[in-house]
Amino acid sequence: MAPSDDPADYVWHPSAEYRDGATVTRLMRRYGIGDIGELRARSVADVGWFWGAVVDDLGLPFATPYREVLDVSRGVADPDWYVGGRINVVDACVSRWALDPVARDRVAVVHEAEDGSSSRLTFAELDEAVARAAAGLRALGIGRGDAVALYLPMCVEAVVSLYAIARLGAVAVPLFSGFAAGAIAARLDDAEVRAVVVAQETVRRRRTVPMTPQVRDAARRCPSVRHLVVVGGDEPAAPAAGSGAEEISWRDLVAHAPDTEPAEPMASADTLLLAYTSGTTGRPKGAVHTHAGFLVKTASEVAYSFDVGPGGVFCWVTDMGWIMGPLSIIGSHANGATVVLYEGSPDVPGPERLWDLVARHGVTMLGVSPTLIRTLRSRDADAGDRDVSSVHTLGSTGEPWDAESYVWLARDVFADRVPIINFSGGTEVGGSFLAPYPVEPIRSCSLGGPSLGMDVDVVDAAGEPVRGATGELVCRQPWPAMTRGIWRDRERYLEAYWSTFPGMWRHGDHARVDPDGQWFLLGRSDDVVNVAGKRLAPAEVEAVLIAHPDVAEAAAVGVPDPTKGETVWVFWVPRASAEDADADAVSTRLREMVAEELGKPFAPSLVRPVAELPKTRSAKIMRRAVRAAALGEEPGDMSGAENPGALEVIRAAVGSAETAAAP
């Protein structure tokens, strides 16, 4: 396309060669389907047909064939998938490639740490390592149905542990590697975890960060925890007094002879992992994911959305405790691809680190967050002379884009030659609700449309479909990776997802479908600001703010107002190149821009520059925490925060504004 002055007008168009070689095109040809629109329609007209077709197309091996793809006789909230089938993700993701003479020596896992060190395993080596770790866990008494937690950075041992747990039929509980002891203990207790695999330490921004102390502290509070397996160091240090858990080194765990038993044949609905979501109050929610459902959904995402197959190299800057960690591993390996794990900060030692990672390992699918790209753009950190020609697809998730950063990545860094697959789902979804596909035109910032096999819609408060207006994102039919519930809390599951619109899953996101059928997310519906009865998504305000050349990133929140009910407060981070800018003048202009673009009622009543905003490890801005800090309230669970000290920056900004306003 010819460049446009307006980033919102950008559209990526696939070449005929790109379209013809895509994995999803192969699927369409196999079933005589002409285009992606037709495939989307057929995939929801008969979801059973589609999710059976995925298994066949990707060759996912069931030890015992299923007799029926889907049974909804118990209702849409309680579907049964791949009824009667037996399968283990290890057979689908590891063993079948290790037994393949062509694939066995293909690299399965690459790990690179912040200090530049790296390691790798082939599929054959991964298969043996998993069998040894499974034998070690079996010797500790771990077996079918036992919960084993992972408190690890993105490292090779995280992959081996995940599969070793699954091989035994045990349940994996991945934890965010930045959690403090209290957050760890809450999840260990809820899942009744028997053992924890924990790294002795990790590195973050050149700092050595110990990890075992938090787990030992948590284990003291959780009598179910009997074993700690410590990765790293010569020997594990002595446990803290009264922890009650026996410690063993990873080296000793994998010193066992490889487990000779085959991978435990699991029923399709048997639990593979518990993926916990953080909340501000109450017990954490453990989303229940199954061997068959999680495998099939993640395999389809990696194959059809991200166009990755055997020989592909998949890299997403993420954490084992976020759903993208397990999705990256299982989805890549289900397709015979390499997964690249990065441990550390993606902008250390400098902002070009991400492009160096791509060039070193020949990454073909690179997953990033919009906030990370905004940071790189603000520092003028494009790929430079680094060879990023291996990249075939870009992925993003977790938060809305702004058009300027989106187009900078697509056009300035990658010269219009690769699509950005901006997909959205969640922990409980096990993948995406919405995603564009590389065989269709993709408009700037768009989520494309419904993911294949996902019967999603946007509805108003009465549950009626709406187009061209903001509404609630819902799903009308089940999908394989839909959580089987919230662990040990049936009523909470029904209340959270099924109580608002009878017969429809309400996800808690605001969305809009434009007249051309392009889908956009506008943030969490519980983040919505209600200004004098007019509802506004914070992402709409932030998109306006980021368009200013001096603004690197921004957060908009709603706060109580005696006249309007709520008013908008804004905090913005200056670009590095704008250090000499007049912050007060920029703030004034930002207020004017919001009024001009969204209407005078939405003009922020407070606009303040700050040095940083609180973010998660995956670089998502924590609006909830911003709002709490601005109001002087407790922010709730900050265990997933990368930089909790940013809350003091927000409080100081509000305090200085109040001082300036005082008579």
Side-chain angles (χ1 to χ4, degrees):
M1 62 164 281
S4 166
D5 291 336
D6 186 352
D9 292 338
Y10 178 87
V11 181
W12 183 81
H13 292 276
S15 67
E17 181 182 10
Y18 199 115
R19 189 168 51 246
D20 290 346
T23 306
V24 73
T25 301
R26 182 195 68 203
L27 177 70
M28 291 190 285
R29 287 176 179 150
R30 179 173 184 171
Y31 292 98
I33 294 172
D35 58 37
I36 192 66
E38 183 182 347
L39 180 58
R40 275 194 174 103
R42 185 170 174 187
S43 74
V44 296
D46 187 347
V47 293
W49 165 80
F50 175 74
W51 291 110
V54 171
V55 172
D56 293 340
D57 185 58
L58 300 182
L60 302 176
F62 278 76
T64 301
Y66 52 85
R67 61 178 181 270
E68 184 179 9
V69 175
L70 173 62
D71 177 4
V72 290
S73 60
R74 294 191 298 139
V76 68
D78 296 289
D80 285 319
W81 287 94
Y82 306 107
V83 182
R86 290 193 171 274
I87 190 170
N88 191 299
V89 296
V90 175
D91 289 331
C93 296
V94 182
S95 301
R96 66 165 165 155
W97 307 117
L99 294 171
D100 183 335
V102 174
R104 62 179 284 103
D105 294 325
R106 185 186 303 147
V107 175
V109 185
V110 175
H111 166 251
E112 180 172 310
E114 192 178 272
D115 64 6
S117 61
S118 65
S119 59
R120 59 187 59 208
L121 293 177
T122 65
F123 277 105
E125 291 167 337
L126 176 60
D127 188 51
E128 179 177 350
V130 169
R132 288 183 180 278
L137 290 174
R138 193 188 296 278
L140 296 180
I142 302 299
R144 188 184 181 106
D146 291 331
V148 180
L150 307 177
Y151 186 64
L152 297 164
M154 296 299 284
C155 58
V156 168
E157 291 83 0
V159 178
V160 174
S161 298
L162 178 65
Y163 286 134
I165 294 163
R167 197 179 197 279
L168 297 174
V171 176
V173 185
L175 302 174
F176 170 52
S177 62
F179 276 149
I184 297 169
R187 290 154 178 79
L188 299 183
D189 184 62
D190 188 68
E192 297 181 337
V193 163
R194 289 276 309 277
V196 184
V197 183
V198 53
Q200 197 165 64
E201 61 190 29
T202 186
V203 175
R204 192 73 181 171
R205 298 198 176 280
R206 300 187 179 93
R207 292 186 302 107
T208 298
V209 181
M211 298 184 72
T212 48
Q214 299 92 298
V215 171
R216 291 181 181 129
D217 189 358
R220 284 200 298 269
R221 316 179 199 185
C222 302
S224 66
V225 177
R226 307 307 304 163
H227 306 282
L228 303 183
V229 180
V230 182
V231 176
D234 293 332
E235 294 291 341
S243 73
E246 174 192 9
E247 295 199 13
I248 179 176
S249 70
W250 175 263
R251 184 186 61 189
D252 290 341
L253 184 85
V254 297
H256 288 75
D259 194 27
T260 57
E261 297 294 323
E264 188 75 14
M266 307 299 288
S268 297
D270 282 343
T271 303
L272 167 68
L273 62 87
L274 301 180
Y276 277 90
T277 60
S278 298
T280 55
T281 61
R283 201 172 76 242
K285 294 188 298 184
V288 182
H289 289 301
T290 66
H291 274 258
F294 194 76
L295 168 68
V296 175
K297 174 66 169 166
T298 58
S300 72
E301 306 279 34
V302 171
Y304 306 134
S305 293
F306 300 120
D307 201 29
V308 174
V313 181
F314 187 104
C315 178
W316 204 295
V317 180
T318 186
D319 189 275
M320 280 302 295
W322 307 144
I323 198 66
M324 282 309 304
L327 185 154
S328 298
I329 295 166
I330 291 173
S332 296
H333 289 158
N335 285 283
T338 302
V339 63
V340 175
L341 312 174
Y342 180 69
E343 177 185 356
S345 300
D347 58 351
V348 172
E352 299 82 11
R353 178 58 180 267
L354 185 67
W355 315 127
D356 288 334
L357 187 71
V358 169
R360 258 193 300 276
H361 303 295
V363 171
T364 63
M365 206 307 298
L366 176 65
V368 296
S369 72
T371 296
L372 174 58
I373 297 306
R374 282 191 279 270
T375 300
L376 297 181
R377 175 173 167 252
S378 72
R379 298 167 71 177
D380 296 320
D382 60 22
D385 60 357
R386 289 158 179 83
D387 183 4
V388 295
S389 61
S390 62
V391 175
H392 178 73
T393 316
L394 294 161
S396 76
T397 190
E399 57 182 321
W401 278 92
D402 64 282
E404 289 77 10
S405 298
Y406 185 101
V407 174
W408 179 82
L409 179 65
R411 177 181 292 161
D412 296 355
V413 180
F414 285 98
D416 293 332
R417 66 176 186 79
V418 298
I420 298 176
I421 305 302
N422 179 27
F423 85 140
S424 180
T427 301
E428 311 92 318
V429 182
S432 68
F433 271 142
L434 301 170
Y437 288 86
V439 296
E440 63 183 334
I442 304 172
R443 182 182 297 177
S444 174
C445 304
S446 173
L447 288 150
S451 299
L452 294 173
M454 307 299 283
D455 191 7
V456 295
D457 202 352
V458 177
V459 301
D460 61 19
E464 295 298 322
V466 293
R467 295 295 182 265
T470 300
E472 288 272 2
L473 183 68
V474 299
C475 195
R476 299 179 182 277
Q477 296 188 73
W479 62 97
M482 185 178 89
T483 177
R484 299 287 295 185
I486 293 174
W487 188 248
R488 297 168 56 188
D489 202 333
R490 166 80 176 168
E491 292 306 314
R492 194 177 181 191
Y493 165 66
L494 295 175
E495 173 65 25
Y497 306 111
W498 299 100
S499 63
T500 304
F501 304 109
M504 290 188 284
W505 171 292
R506 171 189 172 272
H507 195 56
D509 281 331
H510 269 138
R512 183 178 67 244
V513 184
D514 73 8
D516 296 328
Q518 295 282 315
W519 292 58
F520 300 85
L521 275 189
L522 303 173
R524 296 292 296 172
S525 55
D526 53 7
D527 282 341
V528 71
V529 184
N530 194 325
V531 180
K534 303 175 184 70
R535 296 166 68 82
L536 178 71
E540 294 180 89
V541 179
E542 292 161 3
V544 174
L545 302 170
I546 294 169
H548 192 288
D550 291 337
V551 177
E553 55 192 18
V557 297
V559 300
D561 181 86
T563 303
K564 300 179 180 180
E566 277 191 302
T567 187
V568 178
W569 283 8
V570 160
F571 302 91
W572 61 279
V573 178
R575 282 177 177 272
S577 58
E579 291 179 354
D580 297 329
D582 184 333
D584 290 339
V586 173
S587 294
T588 298
R589 179 57 189 146
L590 292 176
R591 182 181 292 108
E592 294 170 350
M593 288 171 62
V594 174
E596 292 165 3
E597 293 291 325
L598 301 178
K600 291 183 179 179
F602 300 123
S605 58
L606 178 74
V607 183
R608 300 297 295 172
V610 292
E612 59 179 338
L613 294 166
K615 299 176 186 176
T616 66
R617 179 71 59 84
S618 55
K620 290 167 59 176
I621 293 170
M622 303 176 73
R623 286 198 199 99
R624 166 185 56 79
V626 171
R627 183 179 188 275
L631 295 175
E633 299 173 350
E634 287 299 317
D637 182 5
M638 289 295 291
S639 54
E642 164 74 3
N643 56 337
L647 297 185
E648 291 304 321
V649 176
I650 301 294
R651 294 186 183 105
V654 173
S656 64
E658 292 173 344
T659 300

